[in-house]
Amino acid sequence: MAIFTTDNLWVLTFGVLGNIISIVVFLAPVPTFWRICRRKSTEGFESVPYVVSLFSAMLWLYYASLKSESNAFLLITVNSVGCVIETIYVALYIAYAPKKARMLTLRLLLLNFGGYCSILLLSHFLAKGSARVQLVGWICVALSVAVFAAPLSVIRMVIRTKSVEFMPFSLSFFLMLSAVTWLLYGLFLKDLYVACPNVLGVTFGVLQMALHAIYRKGNTIVMEAENNDTSVVKQSSDIQSCNGHAIASHIDTNVFDEDKEKCERSLIIFIEAPDKGPVATPSEV
């Protein structure tokens, strides 16, 4: 097969690595949905990141199907897996979400489907051949750039608080690694639409790594302060336990943990970087 020729070796290498890393990032929300299934409640989580990630994966899948290069199948595999995983996430969300959130998610899915069909029809009737590839490619780039720019709010929060508590190092590292891999894949494949958005992804990834290096010590101080505060509350609750107040400290701690998990979930989808997302999610290759 032509895909295994020497000329395509680097494309194949970075494409396979990109698939592996992206699928790992796609699976990052699994613990969250395991918790949702166990508690039979979405607990305030939002469906927007998953719907956006699904829309992005669908568009990239359509773009890859228009490509004539044999190596485009690596885009098809990663985005096919992304579509399946994100669809499962959305289905689980709909199953356990309250009525208001469920209806909002269904409306978003309808908008998602309508937008995708509109792009499909317009690109089919308004453009032919390479012009169609270019049109769909630029639409994918625009969506990817928008998703890649989402972590700006998190980066601003890190700079303001001087703490990387809500920007996990491992997540930031893997998302940057994903962006680097797909950037190299796009460069070796000479695919501008794959390479361009990942330049932004790499830039934000390097910035996040720099913030980790600068504020890592500050994060340690913040965590120590939180631990001290928790121990003080616990001691107070032990003293008052005879009056039935011991449960209060545990409620406060659980609320803090849940808020932290929500923040981390938002990072999983939108830091690019995918996704999921976010998402960005790995489908925004």
Side-chain angles (χ1 to χ4, degrees):
M1 294 176 64
I3 185 62
F4 294 109
T5 60
T6 304
D7 293 339
N8 292 323
L9 180 60
W10 289 113
V11 175
L12 175 65
T13 301
F14 288 113
V16 171
L17 285 175
N19 271 253
I20 295 172
I21 297 170
S22 296
I23 291 172
V24 169
V25 179
F26 268 129
L27 294 174
V30 168
T32 297
F33 280 91
W34 175 255
R35 172 178 172 174
I36 288 175
C37 293
R38 190 175 67 250
R39 300 191 178 186
K40 301 185 184 304
S41 172
T42 55
E43 301 181 333
F45 290 101
E46 295 184 356
S47 62
V48 175
Y50 313 106
V51 176
V52 172
S53 295
L54 176 60
F55 182 60
S56 177
M58 291 168 61
L59 279 182
W60 278 110
L61 187 58
Y62 176 47
Y63 169 78
S65 68
L66 297 175
K67 298 282 289 183
S68 59
E69 291 87 350
S70 57
N71 283 306
F73 86 98
L74 293 169
L75 291 176
I76 294 176
T77 54
V78 67
N79 288 291
S80 297
V81 173
C83 284
V84 172
I85 294 176
E86 296 299 335
T87 299
I88 294 173
Y89 290 158
V90 173
L92 289 174
Y93 186 92
I94 292 174
Y96 294 109
K99 183 178 180 180
K100 184 177 180 180
R102 183 184 301 115
M103 295 306 297
L104 175 61
T105 302
L106 291 174
R107 285 195 292 267
L108 289 174
L109 283 176
L110 184 61
L111 183 63
N112 187 339
F113 182 74
Y116 178 76
C117 289
S118 298
I119 293 172
L120 196 69
L121 293 174
L122 289 175
S123 63
H124 181 76
F125 290 108
L126 297 181
K128 302 293 182 182
S130 60
R132 182 183 301 165
V133 176
Q134 293 174 4
L135 175 61
V136 177
W138 283 117
I139 293 174
C140 291
V141 169
L143 178 62
S144 296
V145 169
V147 176
F148 272 130
L152 285 174
S153 59
V154 178
I155 292 174
R156 185 168 58 250
M157 181 181 69
V158 170
I159 295 174
R160 187 177 66 252
T161 62
K162 301 186 185 303
S163 172
V164 292
E165 179 184 358
F166 297 114
M167 193 171 69
F169 176 82
S170 59
L171 179 62
S172 300
F173 175 76
F174 276 103
L175 288 171
M176 184 186 72
L177 191 60
S178 176
V180 170
T181 304
W182 286 115
L183 172 61
L184 293 174
Y185 172 85
L187 291 176
F188 281 109
L189 190 61
K190 296 181 175 60
D191 192 321
L192 176 69
Y193 309 108
V194 173
C196 275
N198 284 288
V199 172
L200 187 61
V202 173
T203 301
F204 282 129
V206 171
L207 178 58
Q208 291 172 32
M209 293 295 100
L211 290 175
H212 271 283
I214 295 172
Y215 297 120
R216 181 177 54 186
K217 186 175 181 180
N219 183 57
T220 303
I221 295 174
V222 170
M223 292 301 295
E224 288 177 353
E226 289 172 353
N227 290 334
N228 291 336
D229 291 342
T230 303
S231 62
V232 170
V233 174
K234 186 178 184 301
Q235 291 175 3
S236 176
S237 64
D238 289 339
I239 294 174
Q240 298 176 355
S241 60
C242 60
N243 294 324
H245 298 298
I247 194 173
S249 63
H250 299 292
I251 292 175
D252 291 340
T253 304
N254 289 335
V255 170
F256 172 81
D257 290 339
E258 290 175 2
D259 289 342
K260 179 178 178 181
E261 183 173 347
K262 291 176 185 177
C263 291
E264 291 175 345
R265 175 66 198 117
S266 66
L267 291 174
I268 288 175
I269 294 299
F270 286 111
I271 290 181
E272 182 70 36
D275 24 68
K276 96 117 90 126
V279 203
T281 56
S283 59
E284 286 85 14
V285 290

